């Protein structure tokens, strides 16, 4: 067993094109570190609907140049099999470790396979890549990013020519082409032949961002902005300047790209502590709003003053605010969200006479909704210009929430006042999440199995009126690994994260509200219910 493992590692080492991972793997082989070698050679990183994502390092279970070259070759073979030979593949990348290398390798592989390749000029937000695919008439796009994962990770996200991320069966078909590649030497990788795009594609994207705002709308809200050590700053500042908003005050410690993300444990605005520096800057400068992007700037977080303190708005709260803003502006088309997001969007759409759809988790599904006008997901993802970017876009979402804050400011009101209006109109929809990050992923499988074998019959004293195992699919949804419980006045969904070693449980309670005077009691009731549901669910899942 050990001899076989060492032999596989040596075979991998012999064709590894990266001096850094060769040295790393060579040391593990010399030390005969069987435990670490087994972790790296126990299989291969699986190519799925999120593409690839994993920890950087040597071996087939890590993100490295060998894995990326194989993935690119598999994608090229898939595109050629679909009659796209000679088509354009546009490639973007963030500022993480190895991202530029992975982008360059992808361009080389595409060129060697007879496709045309174009690489964005520098590290840029993921939505710029999503925009560029349709703008340039590409047959596919690749974004090298691990979004808001820890610093040690990187990833490889694939889009097709419609500008949205891959969904089944494309993922399995690409994976099969990757598996068919035997040796890296069989993959032609010329040293040149692809195009490095100029600023024109970014200029076109920025020109498009203006379209999300209303002509003549107020542009007075003052913001504090953090890029979370990612690539959002320059593009967001340019978009805000074009729109005529006051220049955002930067959180200087997090403004520039830094692949080590030194000020945060996890570079995700939702994680505890990630927004502390932004809150400190807001206490200094007293803005109307805090805006945050995640490192590849496809997500947008907002925080507001709530009494004496600042607090993050939940993704569902921003989702409802943007929806109401679009309705008030006369938006037409379909409003869509994933099943883990608040049911409030359906109420808003229904009252406005708009079509509404629920999808599986992920913008790869939301973006495919026919006639989409607005889509959002509770994990801070908002698609406010689907004709421009068929994916979540943290830049245009930031513009739109700042426009809304400006309009309310002119009326002497705030985003919290509008949330109160929405609660009175539709009931208080309060959401929370029980999210468990694990070192051992078997903990997640065990929790899911326990819930399936011993399903709870009630949570927080509320009877479960309907329990659905989503692996079976529903009338409206294809199968997915998840459980959905409908309670009297509440809803719970449990699912493994698709991109991180996390079990995620999404909770929602709906409390009727008679008048604004009833809001404090409704909030108190919702808080108690959510806390009790979280406690009971945790016990039922054994986590």
């Amino acid at each position: 067993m050990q001899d076989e493992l060492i032999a596989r590692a040596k075979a991998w080492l012999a064709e590894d094109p990266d001096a850094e991972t060769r040295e790393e793997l060579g040391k593990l082989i010399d030390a005969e570190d069987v435990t670490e070698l087994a972790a790296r050679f126990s299989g291969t990183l699986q190519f799925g609907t999120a593409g690839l994502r994993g920890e950087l390092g040597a071996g087939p279970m890590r993100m490295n140049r060998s894995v990326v070259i194989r993935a690119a070759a598999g994608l090229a073979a898939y595109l050629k099999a679909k009659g796209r030979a000679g088509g354009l593949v546009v490639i973007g990348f963030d500022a993480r470790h190895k991202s530029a290398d992975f982008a360059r390798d992808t361009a080389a592989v595409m060129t060697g396979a007879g496709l045309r390749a174009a690489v964005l000029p520098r590290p840029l937000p993921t939505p710029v890549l999503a925009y560029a695919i349709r703008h340039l008439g590409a047959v596919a796009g690749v974004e090298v990013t691990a979004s808001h994962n820890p610093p040690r990770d990187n990833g490889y996200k694939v889009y097709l020519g419609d500008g949205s991320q891959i969904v089944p069966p494309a993922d399995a078909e690409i994976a099969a082409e990757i598996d068919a590649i035997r040796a890296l030497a069989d993959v032609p990788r010329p040293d040149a032949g692809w195009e490095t795009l100029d600023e024109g594609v970014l200029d076109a994207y920025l020109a498009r961002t203006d379209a999300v705002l209303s002509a003549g709308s107020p542009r007075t809200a003052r913001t504090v902005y953090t890029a979370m050590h990612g690539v959002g700053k320059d593009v967001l500042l340019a978009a805000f300047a074009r729109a005529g908003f006051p220049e955002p005050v930067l959180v200087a410690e997090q403004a520039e790209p830094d692949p080590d993300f030194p000020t945060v444990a996890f570079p995700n605005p939702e994680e505890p502590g990630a927004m502390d520096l932004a809150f400190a800057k807001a206490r200094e400068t007293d803005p109307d709003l805090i805006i945050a992007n995640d490192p590849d700037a496809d997500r947008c977080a907002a925080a507001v003053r709530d009494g004496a303190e600042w607090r993050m708005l939940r993704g569902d709260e921003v989702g409802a605010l943007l929806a109401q803003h679009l309705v008030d502006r006369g938006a037409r088309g379909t409003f869509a969200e994933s099943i883990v997001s608040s049911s409030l969007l359906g109420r808003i759409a229904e009252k406005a006479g708009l079509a509404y759809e629920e999808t599986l988790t992920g913008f790869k599904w939301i973006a495919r909704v026919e006639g989409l006008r607005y889509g959002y997901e509770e994990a801070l993802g908002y698609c406010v210009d689907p004709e421009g970017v068929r994916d979540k876009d943290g830049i245009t979402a930031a513009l739109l929430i700042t426009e809304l804050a400006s309009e309310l400011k002119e009326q002497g009101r705030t985003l919290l006042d509008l949330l109160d209006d929405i609660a009175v109109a539709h009931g208080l929809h309060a959401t929370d999440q029980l999210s468990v990050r694990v070192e051992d992923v078997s903990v997640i499988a065990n929790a899911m199995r326990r819930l399936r074998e011993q399903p709870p019959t009630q949570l927080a004293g509320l009877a479960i009126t309907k329990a659905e195992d989503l692996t079976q699919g529903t009338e409206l949804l294809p199968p997915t690994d998840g459980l959905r419980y409908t309670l009297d006045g509440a809803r719970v969904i449990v699912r493994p994260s698709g991109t991180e070693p996390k079990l995620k449980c999404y909770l929602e309670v709906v409390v009727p509200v008679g008048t604004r005077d009833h809001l404090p009691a409704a909030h108190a009731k919702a808080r108690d219910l959510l806390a009790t549901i979280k406690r009971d669910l945790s016990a039922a899942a054994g986590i």
Side-chain angles (χ1 to χ4, degrees), residues 212-213 322 325-326 329 384 396-405:
V212 305
L213 303 173
L322 292 177
H325 185 41
L326 290 169
R329 282 179 18 180
V384 300
T396 49
L399 288 171
L400 201 61
I401 196 72
T402 308
E403 178 186 58
L404 174 56

Side-chain angles (χ1 to χ4, degrees), residues 233-251:
K233 181 198 74 171
D234 290 347
V235 178
L236 183 129
L237 290 181
F240 270 56
R242 287 180 65 99
F245 288 111
E247 183 176 351
V249 174
L250 299 178
V251 178

Side-chain angles (χ1 to χ4, degrees), residues 134-325:
R134 298 174 74 201
H135 177 67
L136 298 173
V139 298
V142 171
E143 176 69 20
V144 180
T145 182
S147 189
H148 56 279
N149 274 40
R152 64 178 182 271
D153 289 1
N154 212 328
Y156 198 81
K157 190 183 289 191
V158 176
Y159 298 75
L160 294 181
D162 62 355
S164 56
Q165 296 172 52
I166 54 169
V167 295
D171 57 337
E173 292 172 13
I174 294 168
E177 295 286 5
I178 295 170
D179 290 343
I181 292 150
R182 290 290 161 255
L184 285 193
D186 298 338
V187 180
R189 285 182 290 134
D191 293 327
W194 58 89
E195 178 185 2
T196 300
L197 294 165
D198 61 20
E199 297 297 309
V201 69
L202 178 58
D203 292 342
Y205 167 81
L206 285 168
R208 178 84 202 184
T209 62
D210 298 351
V212 305
L213 303 173
S214 294
S217 63
R219 311 280 166 92
T220 54
R222 295 179 304 105
T223 55
V224 158
Y225 171 70
T226 175
M228 207 64 67
H229 298 296
V231 298
K233 181 198 74 171
D234 290 347
V235 178
L236 183 129
L237 290 181
F240 270 56
R242 287 180 65 99
F245 288 111
E247 183 176 351
V249 174
L250 299 178
V251 178
E253 302 93 325
Q254 298 175 333
E256 300 302 328
D258 187 330
D260 295 319
F261 305 103
T263 69
V264 287
F266 296 97
N268 178 354
E270 293 180 295
E271 293 282 351
M275 294 290 287
D276 287 356
L277 288 171
F279 292 158
K281 181 59 72 174
R283 287 191 285 271
E284 278 176 36
T285 58
D286 194 29
D288 301 298
L289 186 65
I290 299 173
I291 296 289
N293 286 138
D294 68 338
D296 68 326
D298 62 351
R299 298 166 195 250
C300 175
V304 295
R305 183 184 293 283
D306 189 359
E309 285 303 315
W310 285 84
R311 79 163 175 94
M312 272 270 290
L313 292 175
R314 301 194 73 84
D316 285 316
E317 292 177 310
V318 175
L321 287 167
L322 292 177
Q324 191 61 56
H325 185 41

Side-chain angles (χ1 to χ4, degrees), residues 308-356:
E309 285 303 315
W310 285 84
R311 79 163 175 94
M312 272 270 290
L313 292 175
R314 301 194 73 84
D316 285 316
E317 292 177 310
V318 175
L321 287 167
L322 292 177
Q324 191 61 56
H325 185 41
L326 290 169
V327 164
D328 291 343
R329 282 179 18 180
R332 308 308 300 167
T334 301
F335 279 23
E337 65 180 341
S338 62
I339 56 171
V340 299
S341 305
S342 171
S343 60
L344 178 55
L345 185 68
R347 305 270 183 100
I348 292 171
E350 182 182 20
K351 186 170 183 181
L354 298 177
Y356 165 76

